[in-house]
Amino acid sequence: MTVDVLVVGAGPSGLFSAIELARHGVRARVVEREPEPHRQARATSIQPGTLELLARAGLANGILAASEHIRFVRLMDANLDVISETDFAGTGCRWEFQCSLPQWRTEQVLSDRLNDLGVTVHRGVAASSIESRGDGLLVGLEYADGRTEQVEAGWVIGAGGAHSLTRASLVQELTGSTYPGTALVADVRIGEGPPRDGAAIVATAQGYVLLAPLPEDRWLTFIGDLADAEVEGLREAMSHGTVAASMQQRLGTRVALEEVAWASLFRMHRRIAPRLAGERRFLLGDAGHLSSPFGGEGMNSGLHDACNLGWKLALAVHGHAAPGLIESFEVERLSADRHVLEVSDQLHALAHGAVESARSGISTPPPPPDETAAMLRSRCMLDVSYAQSALVGEYVADGARPPAHPATGTRYPDGDTLTGTKHHVLLYGDADESGAARLRDRWTGLVDVTRVDDHAPSSALLIRPDGYVGYRATPADAAGLRALEAHLSGYMVP
């Protein structure tokens, strides 16, 4: 069998990459080792910046309707009194909240959308080998019933999690470190607890308890700083009784555990692959990077990986990619994913710093307001920048003053309102008509050209299919639009 793209892994990153490819006219084959979908909470936070990507793919409404909306993050003491509160309002996004949804439910929403696009996930199929063959790859597949198959694929997307065959085939390991200690994660129902409009990190002398609301009156909880005896007891019997004992050791009787739907021990990591692509292979999500769950960005960064790759790989399959386009995936996403690790590391340190304050009785002063605002935008995935990418540029005529916002390489505000899968050229003020007509004619099917505001200063913005500002010309005169078109020609073939 021959396929243009084979996606290995049907977690959120793999499913979203297949959705993005299908939206751009490429039907990938998706294989998943597990024969049935799981029912585990796992990663539950969907950030405002990620909702913008999902909205362009027709997924935001389903996520918004199914999820709890977290508008605050509160740091509490052992008595559940609020020490500090972070409000998601004012982040500069249409959705000023996080969506909280069990990962299995997110995957269900993504799978339904993928089915609507005519792509089926093949379950009970594991990739066993990947070898280079000419201008493609030869992939060995093993079925749950013992059958084997050889597939010739033009490209392979590795989205199979931390133990990635695709990454191993590139002779790579995740580099970095593992945080000290073991934590417990669980999907639970509790009695009276913190307000359900926000997530709470409860810092006690015995360790922390994180509580984030889930749909159907449930909660996701992390219980950290587990003692060795606790870890051994939980390994021997992961039950309502053992989970309740760990929670009670930190919160006493202030929060009563009523039910445990799922629970697991885990270690937190700060790791990333040296490369995210090579030899017609790509790494998405946990296959390429692992971050502390305190940032709530791990699954989100995988979805951003998928969005960044989807339109580029589709252009390559359709023969519209110039040299350098595919390579830009690794350049752009390595930088962005490293930033995610830095942000999650800072939030991890803040949570553990609060525990140390509870143990010592010495309060740590809060960060300045400007640092808090910047951190909030970071954790919301609204500060991703590709400014150093070769796919980003700017033309400024002598004496012209380009507007400060949006900066090239950053997200276009309300970019989710730009529908479809094409690039968009937005014309402001007095734009050269012949240049605009040439853009429309030469890039038919790949670029939409729209006049936005006749009364603004003359300029043109190129918005990429992933919602990022790829180029700005100031003014949008004949020279400016020629420069914009030359930039397009640098990575696309009309």
Side-chain angles (χ1 to χ4, degrees):
M1 182 178 184
T2 301
V3 296
D4 289 322
V5 182
L6 178 69
V7 179
V8 180
S13 302
L15 290 170
F16 193 44
S17 68
I19 288 169
E20 287 297 275
L21 286 167
R23 290 178 58 238
H24 287 82
V26 177
R27 288 194 177 187
R29 185 179 181 190
V30 184
V31 297
E32 166 57 46
R33 176 188 298 273
E34 297 300 324
E36 299 292 337
H38 67 86
R39 297 279 294 188
Q40 299 174 356
R42 298 185 185 175
T44 60
S45 292
I46 300 172
Q47 304 292 353
T50 306
L51 281 170
E52 292 184 341
L53 308 185
L54 297 175
R56 275 191 294 276
L59 287 156
N61 289 342
I63 296 293
L64 290 165
S67 61
E68 289 286 320
H69 298 170
I70 295 179
R71 301 180 183 277
F72 303 91
V73 175
R74 299 180 177 96
L75 177 63
M76 295 181 165
D77 63 20
N79 296 315
L80 301 188
D81 292 328
V82 176
I83 300 172
S84 64
E85 179 179 89
T86 301
D87 187 344
F88 284 95
T91 53
C93 179
R94 186 197 308 187
W95 300 288
E96 296 184 325
F97 51 81
Q98 295 175 325
C99 286
S100 182
L101 193 64
Q103 183 177 322
W104 70 265
R105 185 69 182 92
T106 299
E107 291 175 6
Q108 192 176 67
V109 173
L110 294 169
S111 294
D112 289 346
R113 175 65 173 140
L114 190 58
N115 287 335
D116 290 342
L117 292 167
V119 180
T120 301
V121 175
H122 300 270
R123 291 193 163 273
V125 184
S128 56
S129 62
I130 304 175
E131 301 174 4
S132 296
R133 171 176 281 192
D135 58 353
L137 300 167
L138 185 65
V139 184
L141 301 179
E142 294 181 354
Y143 288 73
D145 61 8
R147 289 182 296 128
T148 61
E149 181 184 4
Q150 296 289 309
V151 173
E152 293 184 7
W155 312 86
V156 169
I157 296 176
H163 304 289
S164 168
L165 172 71
T166 310
R167 189 183 68 245
S169 75
L170 291 170
V171 196
Q172 289 196 126
E173 296 291 337
L174 294 174
T175 61
S177 59
T178 298
Y179 294 103
T182 301
L184 171 71
V185 58
D187 175 353
V188 303
R189 193 186 301 276
I190 61 175
E192 186 176 352
R196 286 184 60 84
D197 61 350
I201 300 174
V202 187
T204 79
Q206 292 73 36
Y208 65 84
V209 176
L210 182 144
L211 289 164
L214 293 173
E216 299 178 0
D217 203 30
R218 306 195 67 82
W219 295 80
L220 178 79
T221 185
F222 294 155
I223 302 175
D225 298 315
L226 298 177
D228 291 344
E230 282 184 280
V231 173
E232 290 305 314
L234 288 160
R235 282 181 178 149
E236 290 176 8
M238 186 68 72
S239 64
H240 180 280
T242 55
V243 174
S246 290
M247 183 176 286
Q248 188 172 6
Q249 184 174 337
R250 291 153 181 80
L251 302 183
T253 59
R254 285 175 287 277
V255 175
L257 185 66
E258 296 180 347
E259 180 191 352
V260 179
W262 165 78
S264 179
L265 293 169
F266 74 107
R267 302 291 300 276
M268 301 185 191
H269 304 277
R270 186 187 190 277
R271 298 180 180 275
I272 193 166
R275 298 196 62 191
L276 296 180
E279 301 177 39
R280 307 181 76 87
R281 287 162 254 204
F282 308 94
L283 303 178
L284 307 185
D286 287 355
H289 42 82
L290 298 170
S291 59
S292 168
F294 277 108
E297 297 178 300
M299 176 180 70
N300 291 267
S301 57
L303 295 174
H304 283 249
D305 292 342
C307 183
N308 185 283
L309 177 62
W311 65 274
K312 298 173 181 178
L313 188 52
L315 284 172
V317 171
H318 292 313
H320 291 295
L325 177 61
I326 290 298
E327 288 77 7
S328 72
F329 162 75
E330 180 178 61
V331 174
E332 294 184 348
R333 290 309 304 164
L334 258 182
S335 174
D337 290 331
R338 285 172 179 153
H339 179 57
V340 165
L341 264 63
E342 292 169 359
V343 172
S344 63
D345 193 47
Q346 292 175 45
L347 293 169
H348 188 100
L350 287 173
H352 283 271
V355 172
E356 289 305 313
S357 294
R359 288 171 178 162
S360 67
I362 302 173
S363 299
T364 303
D370 58 338
E371 289 186 17
T372 300
M375 177 61 72
L376 183 60
R377 284 184 56 80
S378 292
R379 73 185 300 171
C380 289
M381 313 289 281
L382 297 172
D383 69 340
V384 176
S385 174
Y386 301 136
Q388 303 306 313
S389 169
L391 266 59
V392 172
E394 186 164 21
Y395 163 86
V396 182
D398 291 343
R401 290 188 177 181
H405 301 288
T408 53
T410 64
R411 56 180 276 277
Y412 177 70
D414 300 321
D416 54 285
T417 61
L418 299 177
T419 59
T421 57
K422 302 176 186 177
H423 284 67
H424 290 266
V425 173
L426 308 181
L427 301 177
Y428 298 83
D430 185 17
D432 180 68
E433 291 297 337
S434 62
R438 184 177 64 251
L439 278 168
R440 290 188 180 96
D441 292 343
R442 187 176 184 217
W443 298 96
T444 297
L446 296 174
V447 179
D448 275 339
V449 181
T450 307
R451 181 171 292 281
V452 177
D453 185 350
D454 288 333
H455 303 290
S458 178
S459 66
L461 279 181
L462 174 69
I463 313 300
R464 309 184 333 179
D466 55 4
Y468 285 81
V469 180
Y471 197 85
R472 177 167 52 196
T474 309
D477 57 8
L481 293 185
R482 281 196 301 271
L484 189 154
E485 186 172 0
H487 177 79
L488 272 175
S489 299
Y491 66 85
M492 280 205 306
V493 177

